[in-house]
């Protein structure tokens, strides 16, 4: 799984925002790391930053990136009930403490996990014996990994993100 490279945060551009200059450098590093891993399939969610993170690898491997909508970022809240920036981390912690909790009109961890694991299982079944690189988001990736290993959670991902 490949978490998308750094992207500038702009409210209202979740699906279309690209990569920062650092993100582009990191995407190049991902290409260098993965180009000799004999990857058979490249898969991403539909968000530009996830696709752009794998784009160099796709060119290097002369492969297309297959898009799966259900690998998309989790929906945190409605436009009318955005989580205030200063409350975001405490709300994220609450969502991991209570998998059924969701901000108004948002998606709970349980719902996001069920959606993303269902498509991951389909991808794995359709690609048995193949190496796959999947471009996604940190939260969705964490929830998928948590499904298979309950000790993997948001704090694990935060710790890994700080080291990279």
């Amino acid at each position: 799984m490949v978490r998308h490279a750094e992207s500038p945060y702009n409210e209202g551009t979740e699906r279309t925002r690209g990569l920062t200059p650092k993100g582009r450098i990191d995407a190049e590093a991902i290409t260098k790391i993965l180009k000799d891993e004999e990857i058979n399939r490249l898969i991403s969610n539909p968000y530009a930053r996830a696709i752009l993170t794998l784009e160099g690898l796709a060119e290097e491997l002369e492969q297309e990136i297959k898009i799966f909508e259900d690998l998309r970022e989790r929906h945190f809240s409605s436009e009318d009930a955005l989580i205030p920036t200063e409350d975001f981390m405490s709300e994220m912690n609450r969502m991991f403490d209570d998998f059924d909790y969701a901000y108004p009109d948002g998606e709970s961890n349980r719902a996001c996990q069920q959606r993303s694991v269902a498509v991951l299982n389909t991808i794995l079944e359709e690609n048995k014996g193949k190496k796959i690189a999947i471009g996604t988001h940190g939260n969705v990736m964490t929830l998928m990994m948590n499904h298979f290993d309950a000790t993997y959670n948001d704090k694990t991902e935060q710790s890994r993100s700080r080291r990279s």
Side-chain angles (χ1 to χ4, degrees):
M1 289 193 198
V2 178
R3 184 195 179 276
H4 68 77
E6 186 179 83
S7 178
Y9 180 73
N10 299 313
E11 191 66 50
T13 61
E14 274 305 296
R15 287 184 175 257
T16 60
R17 66 185 209 234
L19 302 176
T20 64
K22 179 187 181 315
R24 288 191 292 277
I25 291 168
D26 291 345
E28 290 173 14
I30 289 166
T31 297
K32 288 177 186 171
I33 291 167
L34 295 179
K35 71 179 183 175
D36 296 323
E37 291 298 318
E38 299 177 14
I39 293 172
N40 307 107
R41 246 356 134 249
L42 297 174
I43 293 172
S44 180
N45 69 46
Y47 288 38
R49 59 193 182 273
I51 295 167
L52 290 169
T53 301
L54 290 178
E55 202 168 65
L57 183 60
E59 290 173 13
E60 179 78 29
L61 300 177
E62 298 179 351
Q63 292 184 27
E64 289 185 24
I65 300 171
K66 187 169 181 182
I67 306 299
F68 283 82
E69 176 67 28
D70 280 343
L71 292 173
R72 71 188 176 277
E73 177 64 289
R74 90 185 261 181
H75 180 69
F76 288 102
S77 64
S78 71
E79 292 292 321
D80 296 332
L82 293 175
I83 302 171
T85 303
E86 63 273 9
D87 297 338
F88 188 77
M89 287 313 296
S90 64
E91 288 296 315
M92 281 293 291
N93 288 333
R94 183 174 176 189
M95 290 175 202
F96 273 90
D97 290 341
D98 178 357
F99 256 50
D100 293 310
Y101 171 73
Y103 213 69
D105 295 322
E107 185 176 35
S108 71
N109 274 353
R110 188 171 319 282
C112 181
Q113 185 180 62
Q114 289 171 343
R115 164 179 57 82
S116 58
V117 168
V119 74
L120 178 62
N121 284 333
T122 298
I123 290 166
L124 294 174
E125 183 64 32
E126 290 174 356
N127 293 282
K128 277 188 179 176
K130 295 181 179 157
K131 288 187 177 182
I132 310 163
I134 299 175
T136 190
H137 301 271
N139 195 263
V140 175
M141 180 180 70
T142 299
L143 291 169
M144 286 190 284
M145 294 174 100
N146 172 268
H147 173 78
F148 297 101
D149 178 355
T151 64
Y152 199 95
N153 59 38
D154 67 322
K155 290 169 185 55
T156 308
E157 176 58 22
Q158 289 172 28
S159 174
R160 289 177 192 272
S161 293
R162 274 191 229 107
R163 285 183 284 179
S164 57

